[in-house]
Amino acid sequence: EELPALVAHYEFEDSAALGKDSSPNGNDLLVHGSVSQGKNGVNLAGTGGDVLYAPYEGDTNKDFSDDITGNYTVAFWVAMHSTASQYVVQSSSWENGFSVAYAYDTFYIKAGVGESAMTVGINQNTWHHVAVVANDVAGKAYLYVDGQLKQTVDRVSESFTMAADGTVFTIGGQSNPNDGWFANSANASFDDFRIYGGAMNAQQVAQLVSEAALHAGDSAENNLAVPEPAQNGTIIAHYEFKDAENLG
């Protein structure tokens, strides 16, 4: 089944441009705080204001929220590294969009004043595929984890509007750059983050998970740092395998 048009695709493979959009649309993100390249994707330190966020009014970069009209889907791989309360993604203000938060092995989806918890445990340091569908026609936002619908919340505004009320689309936290604040950062790794300009159905989400199964079942425990290469021919380890009682 054909998927909605791709608005942005963040592969997080360029350490010199962590927020680069690999789609033809040029919807690059900006970086605030401590965001670094990992073995896969990017790592956020979760120290307060560590986020990737969309340009907003006043920035010289393009604001891709102009390409979004009501219905949209965000889909990504994420591995959480702490049980502390933290924001995973923010599409807009609570009144006009949705946020996904995480605390104590549980994902929460928020829209307006409503909040819904996904009670299935989410293990730390394990990759999970997350998709959130904002459906203006139904007036609801849907949270999928690993291709399965987990929670639904009702929209409280007239329409899902990305980057409303001074907020901006944010990965790994909350932000309102117009007021100069970034908060509730995630201690997490993100990879293969996509934004589509349409509301996917359950079959399309399952199809996307199947097609983008980069990390299915993989551990992210060792994703927190990229190993430094050996310098000047330094030997890191030497295994001669000559001791029968200590083969390693």
Side-chain angles (χ1 to χ4, degrees):
E1 187 174 354
E2 185 175 357
L3 301 179
L6 187 64
V7 174
H9 186 190
Y10 306 106
E11 297 180 284
F12 301 132
E13 294 180 347
D14 186 350
S15 59
L18 293 176
K20 182 176 178 58
D21 174 19
S22 62
S23 82
N25 301 318
N27 293 320
D28 295 348
L29 297 175
L30 302 177
V31 175
H32 185 275
S34 179
V35 180
S36 61
Q37 186 77 50
K39 291 181 181 179
N40 297 291
V42 292
N43 297 319
L44 277 65
T47 55
D50 310 322
V51 300
L52 295 116
Y53 67 100
Y56 57 98
E57 185 177 356
D59 275 330
T60 56
N61 304 62
K62 178 184 177 184
D63 182 353
F64 68 74
S65 63
D66 294 339
D67 298 332
I68 300 292
T69 55
N71 298 323
Y72 55 93
T73 299
V74 299
F76 53 94
W77 288 93
V78 63
M80 310 304 299
H81 302 305
S82 166
T83 59
S85 179
Q86 51 201 293
Y87 271 68
V88 179
V89 61
Q90 168 190 280
S91 74
S92 184
S93 64
W94 285 5
E95 292 80 8
N96 293 281
F98 63 80
S99 296
V100 175
Y102 174 85
Y104 300 103
D105 299 336
T106 300
F107 280 131
Y108 298 80
I109 183 170
K110 302 180 179 183
V113 295
E115 178 177 301
S116 183
M118 191 204 81
T119 56
V120 177
I122 299 297
N123 296 331
Q124 293 184 63
N125 300 317
T126 301
W127 287 106
H128 291 278
H129 188 274
V130 175
V132 184
V133 177
N135 189 317
D136 248 6
V137 176
K140 298 178 183 294
Y142 303 90
L143 172 66
Y144 293 83
V145 178
D146 296 327
Q148 301 296 314
L149 177 63
K150 295 299 182 180
Q151 291 294 340
T152 303
V153 290
D154 293 327
R155 183 194 66 214
V156 297
S157 62
E158 293 182 0
S159 177
F160 282 115
T161 303
M162 186 172 282
D165 299 335
T167 61
V168 297
F169 182 85
T170 307
I171 297 175
Q174 291 179 289
S175 65
N176 188 328
N178 287 313
D179 288 340
W181 60 263
F182 301 84
N184 296 317
S185 297
N187 183 2
S189 300
F190 292 86
D191 201 6
D192 192 29
F193 200 111
R194 307 182 187 196
I195 303 172
Y196 292 88
M200 290 189 185
N201 57 38
Q203 291 74 26
Q204 289 172 317
V205 171
Q207 175 183 333
L208 178 62
V209 175
S210 176
E211 292 177 354
L214 294 179
H215 300 300
D218 288 352
S219 169
E221 187 172 1
N222 297 319
N223 197 62
L224 297 179
V226 178
E228 293 292 335
Q231 301 295 322
N232 300 322
T234 301
I235 295 177
I236 296 176
H238 183 192
Y239 305 105
E240 295 183 287
F241 304 126
K242 294 180 180 180
D243 186 348
E245 295 182 356
N246 189 10
L247 291 175

